Amino acid sequence: MRKYVIIGVPGSGKSTQAGWLARDLDLVHISVGDIFRWNVQHHTKMGALVRRIMAAGELVGDDLAEAVTAQRLADHDWNYGFIVDGFPRNARQAEFFLESYDIDAVIHLHMPDAEVRKRVLARRLCSGCGLDYNLIQGRPQEEGKCDVCGGTLVTREDDTPEALAVRLHDYHDKTDPVLAIFARKEYVLTIDATQDRAGVQQGIRDALGLPAASPEENSSGSPAAAAQP
Ligand code: AMP
């Protein structure tokens, strides 16, 4: 059983890296941001509550973020473990998490803000299957179309310069302290996220003492995020 948390600035590749690990190790990948985005796309009551907050790049309230994470962890049958992506985002959420779950490692993807800005503003998402593209690295074969499902590529509502500034500010203000809380338990692994995707994955695996990724995982781009989280 493996229990991991992955933390990193917006655009550092958390979801891609977590997806690869989850697929290979049979872990349940819980992306709190994907859950919220799914609710926005499907016009649920929760979606209506969080849509504007997310579009502005702000954090959703702790009560809701905690409830969603706890519910998702309770729903899944995670016999082989889980990887939580996007939670905890502040000290309160970290305390909540640590009260309920033991973690084997926190994977911290480190990327300087200037690089984040470049990457996030070039990011596109498939509106059909959720696959992540980057117009600098990993462009689609046909412009504006998903290579896997043919869906239209869109810009995330919170991938604007204004929302990104809020997200980066919040990250340094609120999420950096989470790393300090976890670091007291000495299981934070910091990985240089400016490398290419395969290099980051290898760095994570080396740090966790896991076998290398299979070649097809490295060559196939990012795994499709499930449209329904
Ligand atoms: P992400 O995909 O992780 O960048 O998350 C997208 C957005 O979802 C964030 O900007 C927040 O608005 C919201 N969100 C995701 N995770 C959390 C969390 N743990 N606490 C509060 N808001 C969150």
Side-chain angles (χ1 to χ4, degrees):
M1 168 94 63
R2 298 183 167 104
K3 289 177 275 176
Y4 303 132
V5 166
I6 188 160
I7 294 185
V9 276
S12 56
K14 296 185 296 288
S15 157
T16 301
Q17 299 298 335
W20 276 351
L21 279 180
R23 196 174 55 173
D24 199 31
L25 302 173
D26 254 330
L27 308 179
V28 175
H29 175 198
I30 297 169
S31 162
V32 181
D34 278 353
I35 295 171
F36 288 141
R37 270 186 292 280
W38 186 89
N39 279 277
V40 170
Q41 273 163 13
H42 292 83
H43 306 285
T44 67
K45 284 185 184 163
M46 188 199 294
L49 276 177
V50 302
R51 179 170 183 184
R52 277 213 214 124
I53 300 171
M54 288 179 75
E58 291 162 12
L59 290 179
V60 168
D62 289 333
D63 286 344
L64 184 57
E66 286 168 9
V68 160
T69 308
Q71 180 70 47
R72 204 37 68 108
L73 280 162
D75 277 353
H76 277 289
D77 176 16
W78 35 272
N79 291 332
Y80 296 100
F82 58 73
I83 179 158
V84 178
D85 152 7
F87 190 96
R89 287 283 237 271
N90 60 29
R92 172 180 147 170
Q93 293 181 7
E95 302 296 353
F96 166 85
F97 196 77
L98 286 169
E99 272 167 23
S100 314
Y101 308 98
D102 294 322
I103 314 168
D104 297 314
V106 175
I107 303 160
H108 168 218
L109 300 184
H110 178 261
M111 186 178 275
D113 288 1
E115 182 66 22
V116 167
R117 285 192 199 93
K118 211 166 74 189
R119 292 191 185 205
V120 166
L121 300 179
R123 177 159 65 181
R124 299 292 180 272
L125 212 63
C126 174
S127 53
C129 70
L131 192 67
D132 218 317
Y133 289 83
N134 189 291
L135 303 185
I136 303 168
Q137 289 180 335
R139 297 182 71 88
Q141 276 159 14
E142 191 181 334
E143 200 177 319
K145 268 204 172 170
C146 178
D147 294 345
V148 175
C149 76
T152 307
L153 301 189
V154 294
T155 304
R156 267 172 58 163
E157 266 193 305
D158 55 352
D159 280 350
T160 61
E162 298 74 25
L164 180 60
V166 175
R167 289 156 76 204
L168 278 173
H169 176 270
D170 262 359
Y171 183 85
H172 294 303
D173 189 42
K174 299 180 178 146
T175 310
D176 279 347
V178 169
L179 288 170
I181 291 170
F182 282 128
R184 287 205 283 275
K185 306 213 164 195
E186 293 179 49
Y187 45 39
V188 176
L189 315 166
T190 296
I191 312 291
D192 172 10
T194 61
Q195 307 169 73
D196 64 18
R197 293 170 173 194
V200 175
Q201 180 72 191
Q202 193 53 52
I204 294 171
R205 286 169 186 250
D206 289 345
L208 291 172
L210 296 170
S214 50
E216 65 273 19
E217 269 175 291
N218 280 345
S219 61
S220 63
S222 64
Q228 176 163 352

